[in-house]
Amino acid sequence: MSGETRRLGQDDDLAAVAEPEIRSIDLGMPRPWRIALRLVEHQVQMIFDLSGVMVIGRAHRESGYYPDIDLGAFGGSDRGVSREHCFIKLEDDRVVIMDNASANGTKLNGERLKAKQSYPLRHGDEIQLGLFTIQVELLTNPFL
């Protein structure tokens, strides 16, 4: 019956139809964090897996620089986003943000961050890059 959909009747034993064993697809690799950044002014959501360092900023085509998350197309330059404004990265088992000595600074829930210092991110946090507002959603925590 391979390749065909089996139609279950009311008399079928669902336990006999189900796989007897659940197989792991993990293969020993840790799952990445899945994060959504919602650009508040634009009602756009960017979803990505975080397994290293992600640079948030804006591209500079003349020099060939492109950050991981480019806010230039959303008016990042006019709203004070630097080319390499901040980093979102993993530290141990948590997600953190670090301002990269940006020209207009980074705020986390209204508090200005010190440059080059890590701050933990939580679900629902609000980040402000210059005048650009982003809401953080932690969709998948590999440690839960």
Side-chain angles (χ1 to χ4, degrees):
M1 192 189 265
S2 180
E4 295 180 25
T5 301
R6 179 171 178 196
R7 295 192 180 273
L8 299 175
Q10 292 179 349
D11 299 332
D12 286 338
D13 180 11
L14 294 179
V17 175
E19 281 276 327
E21 169 185 346
I22 296 174
R23 295 187 182 102
S24 172
I25 60 170
D26 188 3
L27 303 178
M29 298 297 293
R31 290 184 342 191
W33 283 83
R34 176 151 293 174
I35 298 175
L37 298 179
R38 189 170 60 82
L39 311 182
V40 174
E41 291 88 359
H42 300 280
Q43 294 300 309
V44 170
Q45 188 178 52
M46 298 178 173
I47 299 174
F48 60 93
D49 290 337
L50 181 66
S51 56
V53 177
M54 298 289 288
V55 179
I56 301 176
R58 56 183 174 80
H60 187 256
R61 286 162 187 74
E62 292 80 18
S63 67
Y65 175 73
Y66 297 92
D68 299 306
I69 299 172
D70 183 5
L71 299 177
F74 300 98
S77 181
D78 295 335
R79 302 194 56 82
V81 176
S82 298
R83 290 183 196 160
E84 289 185 32
H85 198 102
C86 66
F87 306 113
I88 292 181
K89 62 182 186 169
L90 300 174
E91 281 187 3
D92 300 320
D93 62 349
R94 63 188 184 154
V95 178
V96 299
I97 186 169
M98 181 184 350
D99 179 76
N100 190 33
S102 61
N104 295 301
T106 302
K107 291 182 181 178
L108 177 61
N109 298 321
E111 297 292 322
R112 189 173 179 98
L113 305 184
K114 292 181 183 176
K116 306 290 186 180
Q117 187 171 328
S118 296
Y119 295 84
L121 281 178
R122 293 176 183 83
H123 184 78
D125 280 350
E126 189 173 274
I127 302 170
Q128 197 169 354
L129 312 178
L131 299 174
F132 204 102
T133 305
I134 300 171
Q135 186 167 28
V136 176
E137 295 178 37
L138 302 179
L139 303 174
T140 302
N141 179 340
F143 300 102
L144 294 180

